[in-house]
Amino acid sequence: MICLLGLATLGANAAELEAGDRAPDFTLQASDGKTYSLADFKGKQAVVVAWFPRAFTSGCTVECKSLAENGDLIRQYDVSYFMASVDPLEKNIEFAKATEADFPLLSDPTKEVAKAYGVLQMGSFAKRETFYIGVDGTILKVDREVRPDTSAQDMASTLGVLGVARR
């Protein structure tokens, strides 16, 4: 009984983040050679963090290409947007080049930020979830049903519905 109970709770997150919660801060290296911190955007700009399971897998490639090919839709809004994974930085740099990503891919190899966001799956990869974070650092929406092929269009639509300022 104890073993079964332990297995049942192994994959569960302590508490899923929801709209209205304070977004956990992060400082992560990115595929563009820079380091980004959520705190740097507070009071200045909304942020979108699209977690993805693994670089070079089919769904993740489709999602990244959607954002790269249709990023003009997202850039109509006053927002900084990122994809993020627990992949090593070097792998995300290669993935960004292969998909021609014109936005940063964040790397969380320690998995601490993924844990804080409640997206760490089986201790080894992130769930595909997108977090919309307001200028004040509060989560505006969590999309747990991301469609990789229309990710950019869906992101832009959500930004509009949430009332994020246009550029």
Side-chain angles (χ1 to χ4, degrees), residues 56 61 64-65 68 91-101 105:
F56 295 105
T61 300
C64 194
K65 284 186 176 183
K91 189 170 185 180
N92 275 351
I93 291 171
E94 292 172 27
F95 186 52
K97 285 180 187 171
T99 56
E100 299 180 3
L105 276 65

Side-chain angles (χ1 to χ4, degrees), residues 26-70:
F26 61 78
T27 300
L28 296 171
Q29 290 184 297
S31 57
D32 62 1
K34 298 178 183 175
T35 299
Y36 293 91
S37 293
L38 182 59
D40 293 341
F41 297 98
K42 193 171 179 184
K44 300 174 188 166
Q45 192 175 50
V47 173
V48 178
V49 180
W51 287 93
F52 67 98
R54 288 199 170 108
F56 295 105
T57 57
S58 60
C60 298
T61 300
V62 168
E63 182 177 10
C64 194
K65 284 186 176 183
S66 172
L67 295 178
E69 293 169 2
N70 301 291

Side-chain angles (χ1 to χ4, degrees), residues 12 14 27 30 34 37 61-63 78 80 94 104 110 121 124-125 129 139 148 160-161:
T27 300
K34 298 178 183 175
S37 293
T61 300
V62 168
E63 182 177 10
D78 190 19
S80 286
E94 292 172 27
T110 67
Q121 196 76 347
S124 62
F125 61 93
E129 294 186 0
I139 296 172
V161 168

Side-chain angles (χ1 to χ4, degrees), residues 114-162:
K115 286 178 193 169
Y117 275 79
V119 298
L120 191 62
Q121 196 76 347
M122 297 171 21
S124 62
F125 61 93
K127 292 188 273 185
R128 188 181 317 279
E129 294 186 0
T130 300
F131 291 78
Y132 296 83
I133 304 166
V135 179
D136 66 353
T138 300
I139 296 172
L140 302 174
K141 177 183 173 83
V142 181
D143 183 355
R144 293 189 169 92
E145 297 180 15
V146 176
R147 297 179 308 175
D149 58 329
T150 59
S151 187
Q153 295 89 332
D154 297 341
M155 195 179 285
S157 175
T158 299
L159 290 167
V161 168
L162 292 172

